[in-house]
Amino acid sequence: MSRVAVIGGGLTGLTAAYYLSQAKPDWQIDVFEQEDRFGGKIKTKRVDGYVVEVGPDSYLARKQAMTDLITELGLGDTIVTNATGQAFIYDRGAMHPLPGGAIVGIPTEFVPFAKSTLLSWAGKIRAMQDYFKSPYPTDGDVSIGDFFKYHLGQEMMDKLIEPLLSGIYGGDIYELSLDATFPEFHSLERKHGNMVKGMLAARKQRASSHIKPSGQFRQLTGGLESIIDALVGQMPANVTLHKSTPVTAIEKVAQGYVLGGTVKSPYNDVIITTPPQSYKAWFQEDPHFEELMYMDLSSCAIAVMGFDRASFDASLDGTGFVITRKSETPLTACTYITAKWPQTTPQDKVVLRVFMGKPGDDTVQRLDEDALKELAIREIQRIMKFTATPIWVELTRLNKSMPQYKVGHRELVGRLKDYAHKAYPGLHMIGTPFDGVGMPDGVRQAHELVQHMVNEQ
């Protein structure tokens, strides 16, 4: 009988154990989580009629792996699509509507783009000149910033592309790898010659499919934590879940691996699903893991705040806004949860979700929790021009939590996995350091790994 250890009890680790236990019901599987709860960053506030996320708040609908898992867990009928509405960009004191027809800021309709108050005419003309440009002059990887600046110009980068794309990874888009983050843009450009032609073609294809436009994101009526609850509750009998059990060492022995801090019996396979810095506890003496262990990580904080609707004195047109990096504020975005996810909030309340944490700004690390809450309230009041005070605030601080996929990231991951396969047979590495930072990416990686392990038998 094979014994498998899964290190990390977040969504990726639980999904790996769930799929593997179904495929191999005769295998013994142990999941080790160092915290006293499962789910990692996923956490739902369920109290007094609220079902509000204080961690990740949704997932991209087009990433099917997540929906497949939710459906398999019997939660398919609880999936909710976000309400759509006008999105805005806040730039140095003024709120501007996101131009209609823009896809991640790239224009696909001339009239709405021409009427935009966000960009100067010089910036608009420079962006439209991309229609006549050649592909980016390299076949290899390139930073997001350099790629879009080449195609659309500096002003488009600063006021549209950067605030819309950088929030996902929280990093400097002039360092982040295009091929590891948004490879579809590189594919579109190579196929059609430049970005504007590529996005026009994508829009035409979408229109010809006659698919009615809808929200891009998905949630569950019971909150995202209901996925974790279902995984734990429906975990097959050959899986044992261990909370409050940190793995202090991974020792390679003749029979496989022995994990420090856990049972001493060896495991045939070990699946690691944890952040990159955790590898320091296990592979400090192996220089091949150095780039992984010391991978750059960005920090952010999320302040979710509730208000009485009767006293809330700001307009809630649209679903929220992002903030340009050159605006003098540590905030990066705000989502009107009440408008985007109306099922999450009592009708007489308003909920805002405020994001903080810019590249090069140490506010999130420097201030304590109370100071961050006060800063978030003060800044969102100033930007949205209201005086109402929240009746509650939930702060989630994510210090050094988001791996930065620098240019060349795919090559780095390839080298690491090739080395581990040869030097540590039976050791498997998945999760945010490798191939996607979103929840569906972790689910997909878990499913692909299980398929690989089963096929190897």
Side-chain angles (χ1 to χ4, degrees):
M1 178 182 67
S2 290
R3 302 182 71 246
V4 180
V6 179
I7 305 177
L11 177 63
T12 303
L14 293 175
T15 302
Y18 177 76
Y19 282 137
L20 186 59
S21 60
Q22 288 183 318
K24 292 292 183 179
D26 57 329
W27 288 12
Q28 180 182 334
I29 302 165
D30 287 308
V31 178
F32 298 104
E33 168 55 48
Q34 67 176 355
E35 303 295 334
D36 61 359
R37 59 177 293 273
F38 294 108
K41 297 173 186 175
I42 297 175
K43 190 174 183 181
T44 305
K45 175 185 174 74
R46 303 182 185 119
V47 63
D48 298 332
Y50 296 97
V51 185
V52 176
E53 306 299 338
V54 294
D57 83 328
S58 59
Y59 71 94
L60 272 173
R62 63 180 173 81
K63 295 192 173 184
Q64 189 63 33
M66 188 79 166
T67 300
D68 290 343
L69 173 65
I70 292 168
T71 302
E72 184 171 340
L73 291 170
L75 300 173
D77 59 351
T78 71
I79 295 175
V80 182
T81 299
N82 67 287
T84 57
Q86 178 66 58
F88 293 84
I89 294 181
Y90 179 81
D91 180 45
R92 290 170 282 194
M95 202 75 73
H96 304 270
L98 183 68
I103 302 177
V104 292
I106 302 168
T108 63
E109 296 181 22
F110 177 75
V111 173
F113 184 68
K115 289 182 177 180
S116 172
T117 59
L118 178 65
L119 298 164
S120 69
W121 271 108
K124 295 171 185 175
I125 291 170
R126 168 61 184 86
M128 296 308 296
Q129 286 175 346
D130 185 56
Y131 191 84
F132 306 101
K133 289 185 75 73
S134 302
Y136 191 88
T138 180
D139 289 331
D141 197 6
V142 61
S143 77
I144 301 170
D146 288 332
F147 180 80
F148 283 106
K149 180 181 175 182
Y150 168 82
H151 281 293
L152 301 172
Q154 188 69 60
E155 188 176 354
M156 276 282 288
M157 274 301 309
D158 292 344
K159 294 188 176 184
L160 270 171
I161 306 299
E162 193 275 342
L164 288 169
L165 296 187
S166 66
I168 299 172
Y169 291 86
D172 185 341
I173 60 174
Y174 288 96
E175 294 185 355
L176 293 176
S177 159
L178 183 72
D179 286 347
T181 56
F182 302 101
E184 62 272 21
F185 291 130
H186 226 163
S187 299
L188 275 176
E189 181 223 35
R190 287 165 177 162
K191 182 176 180 180
H192 298 281
N194 55 57
M195 282 311 306
V196 171
K197 286 181 181 177
M199 298 310 281
L200 287 171
R203 179 173 174 270
K204 183 178 180 181
Q205 181 179 7
R206 192 160 55 181
S208 66
S209 66
H210 303 295
I211 297 175
K212 185 179 180 180
S214 63
Q216 300 179 57
F217 301 97
R218 299 290 184 268
Q219 242 287 2
L220 281 76
T221 54
L224 294 173
E225 200 167 345
S226 60
I227 304 170
I228 303 301
D229 296 339
L231 279 168
V232 171
Q234 298 180 38
M235 197 66 73
N238 58 322
V239 179
T240 304
L241 302 174
H242 307 265
K243 291 187 291 187
S244 303
T245 310
V247 175
T248 57
I250 299 176
E251 180 185 356
K252 191 173 184 297
V253 296
Q255 299 88 355
Y257 298 91
V258 173
L259 306 186
T262 73
V263 295
K264 293 301 180 183
S265 301
Y267 291 94
N268 305 93
D269 290 84
V270 174
I271 301 172
I272 303 176
T273 70
T274 54
Q277 61 269 41
S278 62
Y279 285 76
K280 295 177 186 178
W282 310 318
F283 302 106
Q284 188 71 51
E285 304 303 318
D286 190 334
H288 291 87
F289 287 94
E290 187 168 337
E291 288 179 279
L292 173 62
M293 292 185 292
Y294 296 98
M295 182 180 288
D296 282 350
L297 304 162
S298 67
S299 302
C300 72
I302 305 167
V304 183
M305 52 189 76
F307 302 82
D308 283 319
R309 186 179 288 274
S311 63
F312 191 75
D313 51 333
S315 169
L316 283 180
D317 291 338
T319 56
F321 58 91
V322 295
I323 301 173
T324 61
R325 187 171 174 181
K326 291 185 178 180
S327 297
E328 293 185 5
T329 177
L331 272 53
T332 58
C334 176
T335 301
Y336 308 156
I337 295 296
T338 308
K340 188 174 182 179
W341 302 106
Q343 83 284 351
T344 66
T345 309
Q347 291 187 352
D348 62 340
K349 306 298 181 187
V350 168
V351 175
L352 303 180
R353 181 178 169 92
V354 178
F355 299 81
M356 295 175 280
K358 292 183 178 182
D361 184 340
D362 67 348
T363 300
V364 171
Q365 299 100 302
R366 179 169 44 84
L367 299 184
D368 63 24
E369 182 171 324
D370 287 340
L372 279 173
K373 287 181 180 179
E374 291 173 6
L375 176 63
I377 295 167
R378 185 171 66 249
E379 282 295 283
I380 201 62
Q381 287 174 329
R382 179 181 67 83
I383 290 170
M384 293 182 65
K385 298 180 173 60
F386 68 83
T387 60
T389 56
I391 53 179
W392 56 264
V393 180
E394 290 272 357
L395 184 87
T396 301
R397 188 207 303 261
L398 300 172
N399 264 331
K400 300 292 184 184
S401 66
M402 188 65 72
Q404 299 296 282
Y405 291 179
K406 300 292 185 71
V407 173
H409 178 78
R410 287 191 180 279
E411 289 77 8
L412 167 63
V413 170
R415 291 196 307 272
L416 278 169
K417 293 202 170 184
D418 284 346
Y419 170 72
H421 179 71
K422 296 171 185 175
Y424 299 89
L427 183 74
H428 313 279
M429 304 178 296
I430 58 175
T432 58
F434 302 102
D435 189 21
V437 298
M439 292 178 290
D441 299 308
V443 171
R444 171 184 50 78
Q445 290 180 67
H447 190 254
E448 290 173 351
L449 173 61
V450 168
Q451 289 181 318
H452 171 74
M453 293 175 68
V454 170
N455 291 337
E456 274 197 332
Q457 294 300 306

